[in-house]
Amino acid sequence: MLDRHARTALAPHRRSTRLGLALAAALSLGASACASVIGEHEAETKFLVKPTPLSTFAGWSELTVSQDPSTIDGAELMFIRLEARDNNVPDLTFIKSITAEAVVDGVATTIARKSPMPVGERIVPLTRVYHDDIRKFFYEDPENGGYTAHVDWRGEIDQTKPIPPEGVWMKVIVAIRVE
């Protein structure tokens, strides 16, 4: 019954990853079990920061759930936190700026951003700019058998900072409040 997965874009190829995401679990339980999923939950995904000749990067991640998001009363984004998965990266200052946008039907909504990254910090919270219900970002996706939320990640790299040529995988922790 529970159908959840996240996809992350890699330049130039794709990779699929199965994740146990809190929102997916909350949505998959449906309206009859709402009381058991009310509260705060965290989810994890990832994307690759690999600079281009223009000192930019772009990636995306997706979450597909089997249950219609309208079966819960509401879901609010509490925070988005980035962390370099490569332990050799001392901090995230190699990223000059980053923006996260939820995309539905070609329309992008900025949900978080950060610029500049603090010196010496490997785990950095983004500034949340979207404060309303996030259920609207899940659209019906028959190809994947459920409802999908798509997030585009884009930003600028500081090429004066060390970054491995293969790029750096970023772990993203998202906290939500389900009502």
Side-chain angles (χ1 to χ4, degrees):
M1 176 176 148
L2 186 60
D3 176 24
R4 59 186 181 231
H5 66 278
R7 285 180 283 171
T8 305
L10 307 176
H13 59 280
R14 296 181 183 176
R15 177 177 175 206
S16 295
T17 309
R18 295 194 64 80
L19 298 173
L21 296 170
L23 182 57
L27 293 175
S28 70
L29 291 173
S32 64
C34 282
S36 65
V37 297
I38 292 173
E40 297 175 1
H41 304 277
E42 287 188 3
E44 179 180 322
T45 189
K46 65 181 179 175
F47 67 94
L48 181 65
V49 173
K50 186 172 182 176
T52 66
L54 300 175
S55 301
T56 60
F57 68 90
W60 57 268
S61 54
E62 287 185 338
L63 166 66
T64 298
V65 296
S66 60
Q67 187 78 23
D68 184 342
S70 67
T71 61
I72 60 175
D73 290 336
E76 174 190 13
L77 178 66
M78 294 171 49
F79 67 79
I80 298 177
R81 187 174 66 219
L82 294 182
E83 177 179 352
R85 296 183 70 187
D86 183 342
N87 290 330
N88 295 325
V89 176
D91 60 24
L92 304 185
T93 57
F94 63 92
I95 299 175
K96 280 186 176 179
S97 66
I98 187 167
T99 301
E101 295 177 326
V103 181
V104 179
D105 293 330
V107 177
T109 302
T110 301
I111 56 174
R113 62 173 51 115
K114 185 73 172 182
S115 177
M117 295 294 180
V119 175
E121 297 293 328
R122 288 184 38 77
I123 301 172
V124 176
L126 300 184
T127 302
R128 185 172 54 107
V129 297
Y130 184 83
H131 300 279
D132 294 328
D133 195 320
I134 62 173
R135 293 178 300 158
K136 75 177 195 173
F137 298 128
F138 285 84
Y139 55 89
E140 191 167 7
D141 186 2
E143 181 180 314
N144 289 310
Y147 297 83
T148 297
H150 176 98
V151 176
D152 283 341
W153 300 92
R154 61 182 169 78
E156 187 177 358
I157 298 292
D158 182 347
Q159 298 223 8
T160 66
K161 306 289 183 180
I163 181 171
E166 66 276 6
V168 176
W169 279 102
M170 301 302 299
K171 177 167 89 173
V172 181
I173 302 294
V174 177
I176 61 164
R177 181 177 295 115
V178 176
E179 302 169 352

